[in-house]
């Protein structure tokens, strides 16, 4: 009597990888547990190569894939003289790896370069970004695909002006990412946060207030300018009062181990407005004639001449207070008063007035006795007039001969 025992079918109780996601270059442990199998094989699917071929029903194997890879376990067993298999597949996902990401040097002077260097595995795209303070990251470099995976490290030069965090993000084809950050500190120059004057235009005798504040890598401060005695070198903030006697610049200098920072303020000191002259020529005219009003003014930026009705006859301006000289012609029908007013931006003003007299007189008689003389002889001129401000007598060649002004 023959008894046949039917072979049990193999089973795969466990087939797993720990961890199931690894950074390129790191290892994962594949574990299996089977029953009723006489042979176990584990194949790396992309290259169809067995990485395990054993009769151990329970075991582990270490793998180090450089890209996302599937592995298939096959449990081989005999059934009625035939070899059969059952199988199961797992996938180990490879995260891109940043082998290194460095900055050299990690501390720089303002405006000096630092070199960022990196090397990756398993990445198909690389993005470099920077973050300053609380601002959102800003992409500064997208690495070209043909530069990814080079055996030599990639190098990128940056010029931070303040403390900056640089982030390298490596991504693979299915969107898995790995990132690293590095901080580059910047040694600041001395920084002048405040240096100002409460007034930039003043009248002679007035004062100004100069406040200042220095931050950063400052080892000393100084202020220079007209009529200023200076400050203590360790006064990094404060204010001072100055009474300048002339226009000029005040300069704040903040000294530092890496260099100096400076800031200038210009202050203009205005002198009082002076009307040097304001004259009419001639002072006395008859109706229909003209008189020329001439003027010369110092330290003014605006000059205006008006008549008695406040009508503006002439204006003249400049910006720096230099001398203003000019004239205007007037032809009043009757005696008139004219006013000149000069001013500058700091409130200094000066005024002056002049008269132009219009003579209403009529000459009632004019004679000479004798009317014919030889050279060197004399003749007496006689005249009478009504209401005259004065009489001036001229010869035929317009030479002045005599005056009778009451």
């Amino acid at each position: 009597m023959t008894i046949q025992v039917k072979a049990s079918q193999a089973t795969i109780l466990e087939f797993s990888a720990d961890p199931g996601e690894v950074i390129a270059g790191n290892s994962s442990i594949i574990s299996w547990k089977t029953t009723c199998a006489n042979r176990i094989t584990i194949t790396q699917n992309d290259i169809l190569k067995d990485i395990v071929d054993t009769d151990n029903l329970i075991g582990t194997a270490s793998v180090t894939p450089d890209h996302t890879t599937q592995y298939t376990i096959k449990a081989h067993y005999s059934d009625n003289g035939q070899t059969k298999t059952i199988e199961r597949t797992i996938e180990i996902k490879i995260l891109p790896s940043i082998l290194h990401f460095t900055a050299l040097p990690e501390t720089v002077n303002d405006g000096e370069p630092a070199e960022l260097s990196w090397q990756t595995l398993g990445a198909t795209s690389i993005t470099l970004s920077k973050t300053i303070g609380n601002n959102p990251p800003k992409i500064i470099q997208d690495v070209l695909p043909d530069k990814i995976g080079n055996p030599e490290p990639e190098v990128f030069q940056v010029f931070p002006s303040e403390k900056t965090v640089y982030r390298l993000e490596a991504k693979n084809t299915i969107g898995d990412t790995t990132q690293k950050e590095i901080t580059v500190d910047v040694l600041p120059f001395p920084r002048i946060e405040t240096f100002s004057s409460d007034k930039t235009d003043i009248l002679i005798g007035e004062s100004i207030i100069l406040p200042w504040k220095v931050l950063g890598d400052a080892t000393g401060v100084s202020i220079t300018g007209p009529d200023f005695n200076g400050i203590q070198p360790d006064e990094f903030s404060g204010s001072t009062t100055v009474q300048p006697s002339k226009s000029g610049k005040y300069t704040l200098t903040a000294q530092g181990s890496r260099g100096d920072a400076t800031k200038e303020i210009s202050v203009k000191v205005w002198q009082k407005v002076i009307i040097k002259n304001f004259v009419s020529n001639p002072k006395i005219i008859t109706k229909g004639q003209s008189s020329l009003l001439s003027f010369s003014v110092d330290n003014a930026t605006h000059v205006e001449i008006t008549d008695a009705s406040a009508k503006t006859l002439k204006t003249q301006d400049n910006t720096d207070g230099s001398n203003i000289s000019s004239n205007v012609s007037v032809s009043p029908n009757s005696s008139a008063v004219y006013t000149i007013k000069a001013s500058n931006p700091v409130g200094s003003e000066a005024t002056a007035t002049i008269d132009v007299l219009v003579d209403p007189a009529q000459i009632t008689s004019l004679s000479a006795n004798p009317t014919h003389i030889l050279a060197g002889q004399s003749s007496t001129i006689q005249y009478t007039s009504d209401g005259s401000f004065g009489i001036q007598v001229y010869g035929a060649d317009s030479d002045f001969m005599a005056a009778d002004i009451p």
Side-chain angles (χ1 to χ4, degrees), residues 229-245:
N229 295 324
I231 59 174
Q232 295 299 316
D234 59 351
E235 290 185 71
F236 297 108
S237 64
S239 65
T240 187
T241 300
V242 186
Q243 188 180 63
S245 60

Side-chain angles (χ1 to χ4, degrees), residues 90-369:
I90 60 172
E91 181 178 82
I92 298 177
K93 184 180 291 186
I94 301 301
L95 302 177
S97 172
I98 299 175
L99 301 181
H100 79 262
F101 180 41
T102 59
L104 186 67
E106 292 186 6
T107 301
V108 298
N109 294 325
D110 185 8
E112 294 181 351
E115 286 191 345
L116 305 182
S117 174
W118 65 84
Q119 196 167 19
T120 63
L121 279 177
T124 55
S125 69
I126 295 175
T127 301
L128 180 65
S129 61
K130 69 177 181 179
T131 302
I132 300 174
N134 296 322
N135 296 316
K138 179 181 180 182
I139 294 176
I140 58 175
Q141 176 78 347
D142 279 317
V143 180
L144 298 175
D146 61 356
K147 289 194 175 283
I148 298 175
N150 289 346
E152 295 297 324
E154 293 298 321
V155 176
F156 187 78
Q157 199 171 61
V158 292
F159 294 83
S161 59
E162 55 186 305
K163 183 177 181 179
T164 304
V165 177
Y166 294 94
R167 176 186 298 168
L168 188 72
E169 182 177 86
K171 183 181 294 186
N172 62 18
T173 54
I174 60 176
D176 299 318
T177 60
T178 301
Q179 62 185 30
K180 281 188 177 181
E181 292 183 344
I182 191 168
T183 300
V184 177
D185 284 317
V186 177
L187 295 175
F189 279 105
R191 182 165 61 89
I192 298 174
E193 183 176 82
T194 302
F195 183 50
S196 60
S197 174
D198 63 330
K199 292 174 285 189
T200 56
D201 291 85
I202 63 171
L203 184 64
I204 185 70
E206 294 181 341
S207 299
I208 58 173
I209 299 175
L210 304 177
W212 73 92
K213 186 175 183 179
V214 174
L215 301 175
D217 182 30
T219 58
V221 292
S222 64
I223 299 177
T224 57
D227 304 293
F228 187 67
N229 295 324
I231 59 174
Q232 295 299 316
D234 59 351
E235 290 185 71
F236 297 108
S237 64
S239 65
T240 187
T241 300
V242 186
Q243 188 180 63
S245 60
K246 59 182 179 180
S247 301
K249 292 181 179 180
Y250 292 88
T251 303
L252 172 66
T253 301
Q255 298 93 18
S257 57
R258 297 178 46 243
D260 297 344
T262 61
K263 186 174 182 180
E264 290 184 339
I265 298 171
S266 294
V267 176
K268 181 172 178 60
V269 179
W270 293 82
Q271 303 296 320
K272 293 181 178 181
V273 173
I274 299 175
I275 299 175
K276 297 175 67 175
N277 62 66
F278 184 39
V279 297
S280 58
N281 185 29
K283 181 179 179 63
I284 301 173
I285 61 172
T286 58
K287 185 176 181 179
Q289 291 182 327
S290 297
S291 177
L292 192 65
L293 309 182
S294 301
F295 61 88
S296 178
V297 179
D298 284 342
N299 309 319
T301 55
H302 179 74
V303 175
E304 182 178 24
I305 296 178
T306 57
D307 61 16
S309 67
K311 178 183 177 180
T312 299
L313 305 179
K314 185 178 182 66
T315 61
Q316 192 157 334
D317 301 283
N318 68 21
T319 58
D320 59 3
S322 57
N323 178 265
I324 301 177
S325 296
S326 189
N327 55 65
V328 60
S329 180
V330 295
S331 299
N333 293 323
S334 59
S335 297
V337 177
Y338 298 95
T339 301
I340 184 172
K341 182 178 181 179
S343 61
N344 63 25
V346 293
S348 178
E349 295 182 349
T351 60
T353 60
I354 55 171
D355 297 327
V356 174
L357 303 178
V358 177
D359 192 348
Q362 296 291 324
I363 298 175
T364 57
S365 65
L366 176 65
S367 61
N369 185 28

